[in-house]
Structure formats: structure tokens, C-alpha cells
Amino acid sequence: MTRTQAWSALAQLNPVLADGHLFIGLPDWRQESARALTDGGAFFPFEVSIDAQGDLQIVSALGGAPTPYAGQRIRRINGRDADQVVRELLTRVHGDTPAFRSALLAQRWWLFYDKVYDTPATFDLELAHSGLKTIAASHETPALLQDEASFERMFRCEVGEQVAILTASTFAWGDQAQFFAFTHDCFARIAAAGLSELIIDIRHNGGGDDDMWREGLLRYIADRPYRHGSRYIKRVLEPGAPGEVVGQLISGVIESETVPPPSEPLKFRGEVVVLVGPQTYSSAVLFSNVVQDYGFARVAGTGGAVRTRQSGSVQTLRLPNTGLLLFYPRFVLDRPSGAETSTYVEPDMPLPEDRLQEQSAVTALGYRIVCGH
């Protein structure tokens, strides 16, 4: 087997493991994909979405450019039933739930399709309204890779007449000082505008470093000390206390609290809504748990996709014969309240999944806040 063939076989464990931090993955797939395009390679020609029924729909051209086929369902791909292709690819995707895995597959459709089926020079696509179309594979950089390379695409601050929208699409940005400067400037603009409504958009935030939301966000909206979790279970990797041995499982209660700066001049005292979606994960879920449990914000979006009881401190093990990576977590953390009433993230303000991905839905949510609905 090639490494890709080995991944295609072994990755079928991923949905069974059912955790976004526990899976067999391809190493350096971002860099390899970029190099492939530089060397003349190509990928599936569209960015896509997958709805709750598993239907595959066109969102834009690969990379995000407009296409006249946007919104159309894809029925067949090179003679294969598109629903069957979706099911086949989903058997290799990692994540907590089918909803999480569908969202991840849609975001990386071009990658999974290439690894399982290879990318031909052209695609024969049967579309719901346009019929059979032959479309060349795309040499454009996928939107995911473009987004991850651009601070301006990952982080935005929009200060309107009534509502401000702060978008943070990752907590894993390498230059944390740049992020902290961005949020300081954003809250300064909000204060100057005299606004009392703020939306923090983390729909596409897959997590990262907790310090980014502690220092970059909660210092401006938290009004009292908070814990990032309650109970924990962790595996000892390196003994740090008397009696600990490598491999031992330890459980306990988190007692320490983070105290927000009491004299922060840009403290926001208006209404805050945190917008989540199926791709909100890891440290972003911890942030959502904290604001919901302490009442720092209301959570809006769709629920049932990811667990509130999050694993973390992800380790990697390179499998020696294939070069594939096994990702696995070191600890499991309960939400700050310790409540077990809901297994999954459940918003205070539910939004339909089909509206959640539209930017207009964020704007509409802003008006909904202002109007008090």
C-alpha cells in the first residue's frame, strides 16, 4: 500500500472513535496540498456544503469565487451517486457526531475526494437544475487554506450602527500578540461607538490555546472570576508529583480561577452573544461553556454536534510503517458548572442549520438582539 491507501483503510476507525481529538490522520496534508497545486495539480472544482440529509450542494467555486451553479444539489459525480460518495467519504472523517463529521467533510471535501478517488482532469457532474455538466478540476487554492494563511480572513471586527461583530475563527494563531492587539483595537472601536450589543462569531473556530480567549476576549466581557472547567481526568505523561507514574490516570477538581482585570478601561458591559456551529470545537467549546455557565454571554447557533465534555492536550504518535499520525488526547474536562444535563453544546438561542452558514444570518441575529426577540 501507499501511505494514502493505508490512510484510506485505517481512517475508517475514525468515526468509531468518535472524538475530534482521537483519529488517524495524514501528516502535512496542508503543505502537500499547496505543493501539489504549485506543481500543476488540481482539486474538486467547488466548495460544498452537506445538509442534514446528506445532500451535497455547491456553495462556490473552489477558493470562494462566485459560480452560477451555487445552491444546486450535486446528484452524480463521474457516474457515481453523490449520496453514496458522501457516505463513503464520511466513513473516514473524525469527530464527535455525524453532524460534526459532515461539517468537517464539507470544509475539506476537495482533500477527502482526492485521497479516496484521486482527482481527474475533468468532472462529469449531474446537477439538480442544470443537468449534466463537464467541469475541469480547479487549480485554485481551497478556501480553507486561503483562510488559514490570512489574519484578516480569520479575524474581523465589524462595528455597525447598533451591533458589533467580532469574528475569531481560530484560537491557534501563531502570533498571539497580533491577536491581542486586534481584540484591544476592536473593543476600543466598540467603546468609541457607544454600542451595547456584541456578537462574537466562533462558528468556524476549531480551538487552540485557551490564553487567546482568556486574555483576548474574556478580559473585556467577564465581570467576575471563572474556572475553565470543573472535574477532569488526565493521563500522566511525565511524573510531576510524588507517587505519579507514567500512564497513570488521575482525576480531580479544578479549584483555580482566572480573575479578569478589574480596572480594564475597555470593559464591555452590554449584551454579548456567542455564535457557535458544528465546527466550533476544542478550546472554542471551553470558551462557549464558560460564557454560558457564568452568564457572560448567551450562546446562539446550532447544537447537538459536539460534546461539552471536551478532551484536550492532544498528543501525536507517528505510526512507524506508514508515516501516518495517530492523534490522541491527554485529558477530559467537564464544563465549569459540572452539569450533566446536556451531553452536547446546546445554544440558548437556536438557529436553523441552513441559515447558520449565511453571513446574513449573523446580521439578522444582530437585529434580533437589538429588538429584544
Side-chain angles (χ1 to χ4, degrees):
M1 287 184 176
T2 65
R3 187 176 68 182
T4 297
Q5 289 170 335
W7 170 83
S8 184
L10 293 173
Q12 294 180 63
L13 287 170
N14 291 341
V16 181
L17 299 174
D19 189 301
H21 289 147
L22 179 60
F23 64 98
I24 295 172
L26 291 158
D28 305 322
W29 58 267
R30 290 173 172 85
Q31 295 86 340
E32 287 187 0
S33 298
R35 283 196 298 270
L37 290 171
T38 301
D39 294 340
F43 292 117
F44 193 85
F46 298 112
E47 305 283 352
V48 302
S49 66
I50 300 172
D51 66 17
Q53 289 70 46
D55 291 340
L56 186 68
Q57 294 186 336
I58 295 172
V59 173
S60 67
L62 188 69
T67 173
Y69 305 119
Q72 291 202 48
R73 178 187 172 193
I74 302 176
R75 289 177 170 166
R76 298 185 71 80
I77 304 173
N78 292 339
R80 294 187 179 95
D81 183 85
D83 292 344
Q84 179 60 39
V85 175
V86 169
R87 289 193 294 271
E88 181 70 16
L89 296 185
L90 278 172
T91 64
R92 294 162 173 84
V93 183
H94 59 282
D96 296 15
T97 66
F100 179 103
R101 295 192 287 271
S102 290
L104 186 66
L105 174 60
Q107 182 191 52
R108 304 178 187 181
W109 177 266
W110 50 274
L111 174 71
F112 279 86
Y113 189 95
D114 180 72
K115 295 304 181 184
V116 175
Y117 296 111
D118 293 326
T119 300
T122 60
F123 286 85
D124 292 328
L125 302 178
E126 183 181 324
L127 306 181
H129 302 300
S130 299
L132 185 62
K133 297 290 181 181
T134 299
I135 300 174
S138 175
H139 299 279
E140 295 295 324
T141 300
L144 171 65
L145 300 185
Q146 292 188 43
D147 290 346
E148 292 181 341
S150 169
F151 186 90
E152 290 71 25
R153 291 175 71 134
M154 298 298 281
F155 306 103
R156 295 186 300 278
C157 178
E158 304 161 72
V159 179
E161 294 182 358
Q162 296 178 297
V163 179
I165 303 173
L166 190 162
T167 300
S169 295
T170 185
F171 291 138
W173 193 255
D175 187 348
Q176 289 193 4
Q178 185 182 18
F179 175 72
F180 296 150
F182 158 77
T183 56
H184 181 274
D185 176 72
C186 185
F187 280 96
R189 291 173 56 196
I190 293 170
L195 299 183
S196 58
E197 285 85 21
L198 168 64
I199 296 173
I200 299 177
D201 183 356
I202 57 169
R203 285 174 299 167
H204 305 293
N205 191 318
D209 193 329
D210 296 347
D211 285 345
M212 287 189 66
W213 52 262
R214 286 195 184 107
E215 180 65 21
L217 296 174
L218 283 189
R219 71 170 294 139
Y220 301 105
I221 65 173
D223 57 11
R224 64 185 188 278
Y226 60 87
R227 298 181 301 165
H228 68 286
S230 54
R231 298 178 298 273
Y232 67 87
I233 302 173
K234 71 175 183 179
R235 184 175 296 279
V236 176
L237 300 182
E238 295 181 5
E244 288 187 356
V245 296
V246 174
Q248 179 184 7
L249 287 178
I250 297 176
S251 61
V253 176
I254 295 174
E255 302 287 356
S256 60
E257 294 182 323
T258 300
V259 180
S263 58
E264 171 55 58
L266 297 178
K267 184 76 72 177
F268 181 79
R269 305 188 186 282
E271 181 173 6
V272 182
V273 171
V274 171
L275 188 57
V276 301
Q279 291 176 302
T280 303
Y281 201 63
S282 191
S283 184
V285 172
L286 299 187
F287 171 66
S288 171
N289 288 343
V290 168
V291 299
Q292 192 172 46
D293 285 357
Y294 284 91
F296 298 151
R298 288 188 292 168
V299 174
T302 58
V306 299
R307 287 186 291 271
T308 60
R309 190 179 196 228
Q310 276 289 296
S311 60
S313 186
V314 179
Q315 313 292 309
T316 58
L317 173 68
R318 186 174 292 272
L319 304 182
N321 293 321
T322 62
L324 299 173
L325 294 179
L326 170 63
F327 295 83
Y328 62 97
R330 180 192 178 193
F331 67 75
V332 177
L333 183 67
D334 289 340
R335 65 186 305 152
S337 67
E340 299 179 358
T341 55
S342 176
T343 301
Y344 302 104
V345 172
E346 296 297 345
D348 306 302
M349 304 168 61
L351 293 176
E353 170 63 21
D354 59 350
R355 293 289 319 283
L356 184 62
Q357 301 307 320
E358 302 173 12
Q359 189 59 30
S360 59
V362 182
T363 304
L365 176 61
Y367 287 117
R368 181 176 167 184
I369 296 171
V370 172
C371 295
H373 297 150

